[in-house]
């Protein structure tokens, strides 16, 4: 006897969009049909008015363990993920020590086992120590449980090393996630380059800092024929380059984060360090380009780039403040806003928050009989106010505190075990 979810609208892009029931037994989906009798399960959940989707996946988070547990532990990060409706997350390797060896990968997975059931997929480093000089041992990392590779937080400067990384990783079936940043051109920039930065007296970061490296990695993907995934796209130029590459059949995929389709550089006015991030918030033109990229399929994935920081690392001079915001507990309603505004359909949103991340990472997903019961239940009509003091993340660095939003996850199910959000 298992769990029965009744009368919910099941939205599984490319598979089904209908009102039906789901019967779960032994961690797997046993039946999908309308009118399954309540006697079929010991636990019955009435999902009338709710939307049932394949479990959300955030393929880009920074949990700070090992090394900076005062910002986030794997356990607290998993709790924040569950609150946000995510059944799985991919942790970036810029921990201390860096996840560039099998021991750290195994440590992360062991800690994840002790958490709340959210599936944790470690992303290991492309290069040792994130230094961009020597490739890691990809075979050992794959065997230890790494699902992808990235030097996120730092770019791989050497084009030759990046080419070798693509070729070497492809042999082990490990996708490369690229942090695109020309750090020489970025210099000591603290926010987007433009009139606002000039008025605030802060050094700026031009759009070309990102797009130069996006174009390089597209060229390397074209050269090798090997897929590359572009992280946290923020500029119109990057969107145009990725769109053109896809039209030419180059196997590039891309993600953006909710802050890039929701906010602009105006959010950092008054030196608001809780809106300071890298890449920086851009202009309204860039925000619209990102939204258009989501709408036409140029951008495949919405990921949070969840980046917890202690208050003491944010409450300093703007140019000295740490980059990044927490995002796991606010991502879904900001995504649902795109549906409300007609940028995406509900199915389109779920593609970008579940189906496409799974495809890129090679994970099995979908609400199908026999699949693991990894499911998120969403109340699309819930209106609530973001309160950073109620976050389950250890950190509070968000620009969305006090925002009234609509829609939230109310239940997440991982391998048949349910958790209220």
């Amino acid at each position: 006897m298992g769990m029965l979810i009744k009368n919910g609208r099941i939205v599984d892009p490319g598979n089904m969009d209908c009102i039906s029931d789901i019967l779960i037994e032994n961690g797997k989906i046993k039946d999908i049909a309308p009118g399954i009798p309540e006697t079929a399960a010991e636990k019955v959940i009435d999902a009338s008015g709710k939307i049932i989707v394949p479990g959300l996946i955030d393929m880009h988070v920074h949990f700070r363990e090992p090394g900076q547990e005062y910002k986030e532990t794997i356990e607290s990060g998993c709790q924040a993920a569950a609150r946000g409706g995510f059944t799985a997350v991919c942790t970036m390797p810029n921990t201390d020590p860096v996840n560039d060896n099998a021991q750290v990968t195994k440590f992360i997975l062991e800690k994840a086992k002790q958490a709340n059931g959210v599936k944790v997929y470690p992303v290991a480093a492309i290069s040792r120590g994130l230094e961009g000089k020597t490739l890691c041992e990809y075979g050992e990392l794959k065997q230890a449980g790494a699902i992808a590779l990235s030097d996120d937080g730092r770019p791989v400067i050497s084009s030759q090393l990046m080419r070798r990384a693509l070729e070497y990783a492809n042999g082990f079936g490990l996708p490369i996630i690229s942090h695109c940043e020309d750090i020489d051109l970025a210099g000591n920039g603290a926010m987007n380059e433009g009139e606002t930065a000039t008025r605030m007296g802060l050094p700026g970061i031009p759009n070309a800092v990102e797009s130069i490296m996006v174009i390089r990695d597209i060229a390397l993907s074209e050269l090798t024929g090997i897929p590359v995934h572009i992280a946290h796209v923020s500029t119109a130029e990057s969107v145009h380059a990725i769109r053109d590459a896809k039209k030419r059949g180059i196997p590039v995929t891309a993600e953006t984060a909710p802050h890039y389709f929701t906010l602009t550089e105006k959010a950092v006015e008054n030196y608001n360090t809780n809106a300071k991030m890298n890449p920086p918030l851009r202009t309204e033109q860039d925000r619209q380009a990102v939204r258009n990229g989501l709408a036409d399929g140029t951008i495949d994935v919405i990921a949070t780039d969840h980046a917890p920081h202690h208050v003491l690392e944010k409450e300093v001079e703007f140019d000295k403040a740490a980059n990044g915001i927490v995002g796991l507990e606010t991502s879904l309603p900001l995504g649902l806003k795109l549906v409300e505004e007609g940028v995406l359909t509900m199915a389109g949103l779920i593609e970008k928050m579940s189906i496409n991340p799974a495809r890129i990472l090679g994970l099995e997903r979908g609400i199908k009989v026999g699949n693991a019961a990894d499911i998120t239940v969403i109340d699309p009509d819930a209106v609530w106010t973001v309160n950073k003091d109620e976050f389950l993340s250890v950190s509070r660095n968000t620009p969305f505190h006090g925002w009234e939003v609509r829609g939230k996850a109310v239940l997440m199910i991982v391998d048949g075990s349910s958790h209220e959000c």
Side-chain angles (χ1 to χ4, degrees), residues 143-223:
Q143 190 172 27
I147 195 168
L149 301 165
S150 180
D151 275 2
D152 189 64
R154 299 185 190 180
V156 176
I157 298 298
S158 166
S159 299
Q160 177 72 319
L161 194 80
M162 191 62 167
R163 173 183 180 174
R164 297 305 178 211
L166 285 166
E167 293 170 336
Y168 184 27
N170 191 54
F172 293 99
L174 289 168
I176 293 279
I177 301 171
S178 180
H179 173 106
C180 290
E181 180 183 13
D182 184 324
I183 55 175
D184 285 337
L185 185 58
N188 64 345
M191 64 170 291
N192 185 52
E193 182 174 288
E195 181 269 335
T196 303
T198 301
R199 181 160 41 81
M200 294 175 65
L202 292 170
I205 301 172
N207 284 18
V209 163
E210 177 179 299
S211 58
I212 284 172
M213 294 294 271
V214 168
I215 292 166
R216 183 205 68 171
D217 285 349
I218 288 171
L220 290 174
S221 179
E222 185 173 23
L223 172 67

Side-chain angles (χ1 to χ4, degrees), residues 105-149:
T105 301
K106 291 176 180 176
F107 170 85
I108 292 169
L109 288 171
E110 190 59 36
K111 283 289 183 177
K113 282 183 184 176
Q114 301 167 16
N116 61 351
V118 168
K119 293 179 177 176
V120 173
Y121 297 104
V123 176
I126 293 173
S127 67
R128 290 178 184 170
L130 306 177
E131 294 180 345
K133 296 178 180 176
T134 307
L135 298 181
C136 299
E137 297 291 343
Y138 295 169
E140 291 182 9
L141 290 165
K142 171 85 172 185
Q143 190 172 27
I147 195 168
L149 301 165

Side-chain angles (χ1 to χ4, degrees), residues 41-59:
E42 60 187 5
K43 182 176 183 179
V44 179
I45 296 169
D46 182 7
S48 301
K50 308 297 191 298
I51 298 174
I52 302 169
V53 304
L56 303 183
I57 302 172
D58 190 341
M59 65 179 293

Side-chain angles (χ1 to χ4, degrees), residues 43-82:
K43 182 176 183 179
V44 179
I45 296 169
D46 182 7
S48 301
K50 308 297 191 298
I51 298 174
I52 302 169
V53 304
L56 303 183
I57 302 172
D58 190 341
M59 65 179 293
H60 190 147
V61 303
H62 297 269
F63 291 172
R64 304 303 190 181
E65 188 176 12
Q68 294 182 312
E69 290 82 356
Y70 67 96
K71 297 183 180 186
E72 193 82 285
T73 65
I74 292 169
E75 181 179 13
S76 66
C78 286
Q79 289 173 346

Side-chain angles (χ1 to χ4, degrees), residues 92-108:
M92 287 293 149
N94 57 340
T95 48
D96 183 16
V98 171
N99 182 14
D100 61 2
N101 62 79
Q103 287 74 23
V104 177
T105 301
K106 291 176 180 176
F107 170 85
I108 292 169

